[in-house]
Amino acid sequence: MELTIKYFGMLTEATEIDKESFTTEACSVSQLLKKLQSTYPKLQNVDFKVAVDQQLVTLDYIISNEAEVALLPPFAGG
Amino acid sequence: MEKKKLKNVFINGAISSEFIGESIAKHQTKTSIGAHNIFLGQVRADEIEGKTVSAIDYTAYEEMANLKFHEIREATFEKYDLTCMHIYHSLGTVNIGEICLFVFVSSPHRKVVFEALEYVVEAIKAEVPVFGKEIFEDQTHQWKQNT
């Protein structure tokens, strides 16, 4: 399946990109993160939450095809 | 049910005092209002390990942030008897001493606006995906984190 992955804030310093298309077989958030962390080892050392299609999800959430997955570092609004 | 179009909360750069003044003036026609309450977030010149912050560069996951602002608005109207509510947040560079967040709640009576404003501001800080890069005077940076 095809996913869009977005990175924000300090995470863009770990990945050096802010958006990418990602092809993978069906997987959970934690399985996807393992793959991303092997591509971008610096993601292992930073704190973030995961949103799928603009909603925060837990690690066991099963991602569906064409979803937009966002990795969100700590919020700093206001 | 038709999905309500989300408002865009974001403004490029600092929120000016003229903008804030005009927002207040626009409410003169809403004569059921008896109390306004306003929160202004200002960028602080924090000193961290001998270096002083000179600006914050704000970015956001805009689609999700506008969705969250919408959910916060809906929850606030549900909880409090407000006549109206406005939220504006900066994106991009905001220098120290400038305003980066403007929350404006209005109601017929005063008590509700005190509670509602705190509720809205705390929800924004906790739930909205906005990110802040604190730029120091020597152009190095660190990432801000709400506590």
Side-chain angles (χ1 to χ4, degrees), chain A residues 25-63:
Chain A
E25 65 275 20
C27 68
S28 67
V29 169
S30 65
Q31 288 165 329
L32 175 68
L33 291 183
K34 278 201 188 92
K35 291 177 194 190
L36 296 177
Q37 285 169 331
S38 81
T39 311
Y40 308 108
K42 288 179 185 166
L43 281 181
Q44 292 166 20
N45 311 320
V46 285
D47 179 27
F48 58 85
K49 294 177 184 170
V50 179
V52 175
D53 295 331
Q54 286 99 51
Q55 296 294 337
L56 291 178
V57 294
T58 52
L59 290 174
D60 56 0
Y61 182 89
I62 304 297
I63 304 168

Coordinates of all heavy atoms in Angstrom, one line a residue, chain A residues 25-63:
Chain A
E25 N 3.8 -3.2 2.8 CA 2.6 -4.0 3.0 C 1.8 -3.6 4.2 O 2.3 -2.7 5.0 CB 3.0 -5.5 3.1 CG 3.8 -5.9 4.4 CD 5.3 -5.6 4.3 OE1 5.8 -4.9 3.4 OE2 6.1 -6.2 5.1
A26 N 0.6 -4.1 4.3 CA -0.3 -3.7 5.4 C 0.5 -3.8 6.8 O 1.2 -4.7 7.0 CB -1.5 -4.5 5.5
C27 N 0.3 -2.8 7.6 CA 1.1 -2.8 8.9 C 0.4 -1.9 9.9 O -0.4 -1.1 9.6 CB 2.5 -2.4 8.6 SG 2.7 -0.7 8.2
S28 N 0.9 -2.1 11.1 CA 0.5 -1.3 12.3 C 1.4 -0.1 12.4 O 2.5 0.0 11.7 CB 0.5 -2.1 13.5 OG 1.9 -2.4 13.8
V29 N 1.0 0.9 13.2 CA 1.9 2.0 13.4 C 3.3 1.6 13.9 O 4.3 2.1 13.4 CB 1.2 3.0 14.4 CG1 2.2 4.1 14.9 CG2 0.0 3.7 13.8
S30 N 3.3 0.7 14.9 CA 4.6 0.3 15.4 C 5.5 -0.4 14.4 O 6.7 -0.2 14.3 CB 4.5 -0.6 16.7 OG 3.9 -1.8 16.4
Q31 N 4.9 -1.2 13.5 CA 5.6 -1.8 12.4 C 6.2 -0.8 11.4 O 7.3 -0.9 11.0 CB 4.8 -2.8 11.7 CG 4.5 -4.1 12.5 CD 3.4 -5.0 11.9 OE1 2.5 -4.4 11.3 NE2 3.5 -6.3 12.1
L32 N 5.3 0.2 11.1 CA 5.8 1.3 10.3 C 7.0 2.1 10.9 O 8.0 2.4 10.3 CB 4.6 2.3 9.9 CG 5.0 3.5 9.1 CD1 5.5 3.1 7.7 CD2 3.9 4.5 9.1
L33 N 6.8 2.4 12.2 CA 7.9 3.1 12.9 C 9.2 2.4 12.9 O 10.3 3.0 12.7 CB 7.5 3.5 14.3 CG 6.3 4.5 14.5 CD1 6.0 4.8 15.9 CD2 6.6 5.8 13.7
K34 N 9.2 1.1 13.0 CA 10.4 0.3 13.0 C 11.1 0.5 11.6 O 12.3 0.7 11.6 CB 10.1 -1.2 13.1 CG 10.0 -1.6 14.6 CD 10.2 -3.1 14.8 CE 9.9 -3.4 16.3 NZ 8.4 -3.8 16.4
K35 N 10.3 0.5 10.6 CA 10.9 0.7 9.2 C 11.5 2.1 9.1 O 12.6 2.3 8.6 CB 9.8 0.5 8.1 CG 9.4 -1.0 8.0 CD 8.3 -1.1 7.0 CE 7.7 -2.5 7.2 NZ 6.8 -2.9 6.1
L36 N 10.7 3.1 9.6 CA 11.2 4.5 9.4 C 12.4 4.7 10.3 O 13.3 5.4 9.9 CB 10.1 5.5 9.8 CG 8.8 5.5 8.9 CD1 7.8 6.4 9.5 CD2 9.1 5.8 7.5
Q37 N 12.4 4.1 11.5 CA 13.6 4.3 12.3 C 14.8 3.6 11.8 O 15.9 4.0 12.1 CB 13.3 3.8 13.8 CG 12.4 4.9 14.4 CD 11.8 4.4 15.8 OE1 11.6 3.2 16.0 NE2 11.5 5.3 16.6
S38 N 14.6 2.5 11.0 CA 15.8 1.9 10.4 C 16.3 2.8 9.2 O 17.5 2.9 9.0 CB 15.6 0.5 10.0 OG 15.0 0.4 8.8
T39 N 15.4 3.5 8.5 CA 15.8 4.4 7.5 C 16.5 5.7 8.1 O 17.4 6.2 7.6 CB 14.6 4.8 6.6 OG1 13.9 3.7 6.2 CG2 15.0 5.6 5.4
Y40 N 15.9 6.2 9.2 CA 16.3 7.4 9.8 C 16.7 7.1 11.3 O 15.8 7.3 12.2 CB 15.3 8.5 9.8 CG 14.7 8.7 8.4 CD1 13.4 8.3 8.1 CD2 15.4 9.4 7.4 CE1 12.9 8.6 6.8 CE2 14.9 9.6 6.2 CZ 13.6 9.2 5.9 OH 13.1 9.4 4.6
P41 N 17.9 6.6 11.5 CA 18.2 6.1 12.9 C 18.0 7.2 14.0 O 17.7 6.9 15.1 CB 19.7 5.8 12.8 CG 19.9 5.5 11.3 CD 19.0 6.4 10.6
K42 N 18.2 8.5 13.5 CA 18.0 9.6 14.5 C 16.6 9.7 15.1 O 16.4 10.3 16.1 CB 18.4 10.9 13.9 CG 19.9 11.1 13.7 CD 20.2 12.4 13.0 CE 21.7 12.6 12.7 NZ 21.9 13.7 11.8
L43 N 15.6 9.1 14.4 CA 14.2 9.1 14.9 C 14.1 8.2 16.2 O 13.1 8.3 16.9 CB 13.3 8.5 13.8 CG 12.8 9.5 12.7 CD1 11.9 8.7 11.8 CD2 12.2 10.7 13.3
Q44 N 15.1 7.4 16.4 CA 15.1 6.5 17.6 C 15.3 7.3 18.9 O 14.9 6.9 20.0 CB 16.1 5.4 17.6 CG 15.8 4.4 16.5 CD 17.0 3.5 16.1 OE1 17.9 3.4 16.9 NE2 17.0 2.9 15.0
N45 N 15.9 8.5 18.8 CA 16.2 9.3 20.0 C 15.3 10.5 20.3 O 15.7 11.3 21.1 CB 17.7 9.8 19.8 CG 18.6 8.7 19.4 OD1 18.5 7.5 19.9 ND2 19.5 9.0 18.5
V46 N 14.2 10.5 19.5 CA 13.4 11.7 19.7 C 12.0 11.3 20.1 O 11.5 10.2 19.8 CB 13.3 12.6 18.5 CG1 14.6 13.4 18.3 CG2 13.1 11.8 17.2
D47 N 11.3 12.2 20.8 CA 10.0 12.0 21.3 C 8.9 12.4 20.3 O 9.1 13.6 19.8 CB 9.8 12.7 22.7 CG 8.5 12.6 23.3 OD1 7.8 11.6 23.0 OD2 8.1 13.5 24.0
F48 N 8.0 11.6 19.9 CA 6.9 12.1 19.0 C 5.6 11.3 19.2 O 5.7 10.2 19.8 CB 7.4 12.1 17.6 CG 7.8 10.7 17.1 CD1 6.9 9.8 16.6 CD2 9.2 10.3 17.1 CE1 7.3 8.5 16.1 CE2 9.6 9.1 16.6 CZ 8.7 8.2 16.1
K49 N 4.5 11.9 18.7 CA 3.3 11.1 18.7 C 3.0 10.9 17.2 O 3.6 11.5 16.3 CB 2.1 12.0 19.2 CG 2.2 12.3 20.7 CD 1.1 13.2 21.2 CE 1.3 13.5 22.6 NZ 0.3 14.6 23.0
V50 N 2.0 10.0 16.9 CA 1.7 9.7 15.5 C 0.2 10.0 15.3 O -0.7 9.6 16.1 CB 2.0 8.2 15.2 CG1 1.6 7.8 13.8 CG2 3.4 7.8 15.5
A51 N 0.0 10.7 14.2 CA -1.4 10.9 13.7 C -1.6 10.2 12.4 O -0.7 10.3 11.5 CB -1.7 12.4 13.6
V52 N -2.8 9.6 12.2 CA -3.1 9.0 10.9 C -4.4 9.7 10.5 O -5.4 9.8 11.2 CB -3.4 7.5 11.0 CG1 -3.9 6.9 9.7 CG2 -2.1 6.8 11.4
D53 N -4.3 10.3 9.3 CA -5.4 11.1 8.7 C -5.9 12.2 9.8 O -7.1 12.3 10.0 CB -6.5 10.3 8.2 CG -6.0 9.4 7.0 OD1 -5.1 9.9 6.3 OD2 -6.5 8.3 6.8
Q54 N -4.9 12.9 10.4 CA -5.2 14.0 11.3 C -5.8 13.6 12.7 O -6.2 14.4 13.4 CB -6.1 15.0 10.7 CG -5.4 15.9 9.6 CD -5.7 15.4 8.2 OE1 -6.8 15.3 7.9 NE2 -4.6 15.2 7.5
Q55 N -5.7 12.3 13.0 CA -6.2 11.9 14.3 C -5.0 11.1 15.0 O -4.4 10.2 14.4 CB -7.4 10.9 14.3 CG -8.7 11.6 13.7 CD -9.2 12.7 14.6 OE1 -9.0 12.7 15.8 NE2 -10.0 13.6 13.9
L56 N -4.8 11.5 16.3 CA -3.7 10.8 17.0 C -4.1 9.3 17.2 O -5.3 9.0 17.4 CB -3.6 11.4 18.4 CG -2.9 12.8 18.4 CD1 -2.9 13.3 19.9 CD2 -1.6 12.8 17.8
V57 N -3.2 8.4 17.0 CA -3.5 7.0 17.1 C -2.4 6.3 18.1 O -1.4 6.9 18.4 CB -3.4 6.3 15.8 CG1 -4.5 6.8 14.9 CG2 -2.1 6.5 15.1
T58 N -2.7 5.1 18.5 CA -1.8 4.3 19.3 C -1.0 3.4 18.4 O -1.3 3.2 17.2 CB -2.6 3.5 20.4 OG1 -3.6 2.7 19.7 CG2 -3.3 4.4 21.4
L59 N 0.1 2.8 19.0 CA 1.0 2.0 18.3 C 0.4 0.8 17.6 O 0.9 0.3 16.6 CB 2.1 1.6 19.2 CG 3.1 2.7 19.7 CD1 4.1 2.1 20.7 CD2 3.8 3.3 18.5
D60 N -0.7 0.3 18.1 CA -1.3 -0.9 17.5 C -2.3 -0.6 16.4 O -2.9 -1.5 15.8 CB -1.9 -1.8 18.6 CG -3.0 -1.0 19.4 OD1 -3.2 0.2 19.1 OD2 -3.6 -1.6 20.4
Y61 N -2.5 0.6 16.1 CA -3.5 1.1 15.1 C -3.0 0.5 13.7 O -1.8 0.6 13.4 CB -3.5 2.6 15.0 CG -4.5 3.1 14.0 CD1 -5.8 3.4 14.4 CD2 -4.1 3.4 12.7 CE1 -6.7 3.9 13.5 CE2 -5.0 3.9 11.8 CZ -6.3 4.2 12.2 OH -7.2 4.7 11.2
I62 N -4.0 -0.1 13.0 CA -3.6 -0.7 11.7 C -3.9 0.4 10.6 O -5.0 0.9 10.5 CB -4.5 -1.9 11.4 CG1 -4.3 -3.0 12.5 CG2 -4.2 -2.5 10.0 CD1 -2.9 -3.6 12.6
I63 N -2.8 0.7 9.9 CA -2.9 1.8 8.9 C -3.5 1.3 7.6 O -3.2 0.2 7.1 CB -1.5 2.3 8.6 CG1 -0.8 2.7 9.9 CG2 -1.5 3.5 7.6 CD1 0.7 3.0 9.8

